[in-house]
Amino acid sequence: MSPDAEQPREESVRLPPEMSWRVGRPWVAVTFVLLALINLFVAVTDVTGGVLETTRDRVSWWVRLAAVVAFLVVALSELRRRARVDADGVHVTEGRRRRTYRWQDVSEVRAGRPVMFGDRFVYLLRHGDTHVELPQSGGHLRLLQRWHEAMAPP
């Protein structure tokens, strides 16, 4: 290997060593928290009002509590979603899972669909006609394109 091949390209020198931002949609998290609170309020009023007289009422109460937990899990996962970009690729963290999309696997970075609330999507087009959507990343499109140009194989 030549010494030039081991050195980063000139474009990558001007890139930050690492950059991260939140890709979760806060309005989705707020909506699901509100739905959880409404369901919790109804479940508590059913218990305190003595409405749980039949088996059907008790099952409905447990289903309502399960919905509260599900809504809170969705809200928390939206708040924890982050994207991080570095020399290895784009790392997307969702809840407890982290996926890495290496620059060698990405064929193109392009602007995605606009959204009603928040920043537009960015698509990472992968070889084999698959793509990865990065919500809330439209403001980082040029940075992602620069990273891709600097790190993708020639």
Side-chain angles (χ1 to χ4, degrees):
M1 223 192 257
S2 70
D4 294 334
E6 294 177 16
Q7 294 180 358
R9 296 182 199 160
E10 183 180 327
E11 183 82 21
S12 67
V13 173
R14 290 181 267 144
L15 292 169
E18 177 181 303
M19 181 118 180
S20 71
W21 61 92
R22 182 182 309 265
V23 293
R25 297 163 294 190
W27 65 270
V28 172
V30 169
T31 301
F32 277 90
V33 167
L34 288 175
L35 288 172
L37 290 175
I38 290 169
N39 274 306
L40 185 62
F41 175 75
V42 171
V44 168
T45 54
D46 284 351
V47 167
T48 58
V51 176
L52 303 178
E53 296 173 355
T54 66
T55 304
R56 183 177 179 186
D57 294 335
R58 288 187 204 101
V59 169
S60 174
W61 185 78
W62 283 107
V63 168
R64 196 168 294 282
L65 284 182
V68 167
V69 170
F71 288 151
L72 290 176
V73 166
V74 170
L76 184 63
S77 69
E78 279 296 324
L79 289 175
R80 288 191 39 88
R81 289 177 69 184
R82 293 193 65 79
R84 185 172 59 88
V85 60
D86 60 15
D88 293 332
V90 179
H91 313 279
V92 179
T93 304
E94 297 175 336
R96 301 188 73 176
R97 182 175 42 178
R98 179 177 148 188
R99 290 188 176 161
T100 298
Y101 303 100
R102 303 213 174 273
W103 291 120
Q104 295 82 6
D105 300 334
V106 176
S107 62
E108 184 181 355
V109 177
R110 92 167 48 147
R113 60 187 166 94
V115 294
M116 187 179 298
F117 302 109
D119 202 358
R120 69 182 315 150
F121 278 68
V122 169
Y123 292 142
L124 301 176
L125 300 176
R126 300 171 67 199
H127 301 293
D129 295 332
T130 61
H131 70 276
V132 177
E133 291 183 344
L134 294 176
Q136 301 290 94
S137 298
H140 302 283
L141 174 64
R142 185 63 196 130
L143 174 73
L144 288 165
Q145 288 172 336
R146 284 179 49 214
W147 268 104
H148 180 256
E149 291 168 5
M151 295 300 172

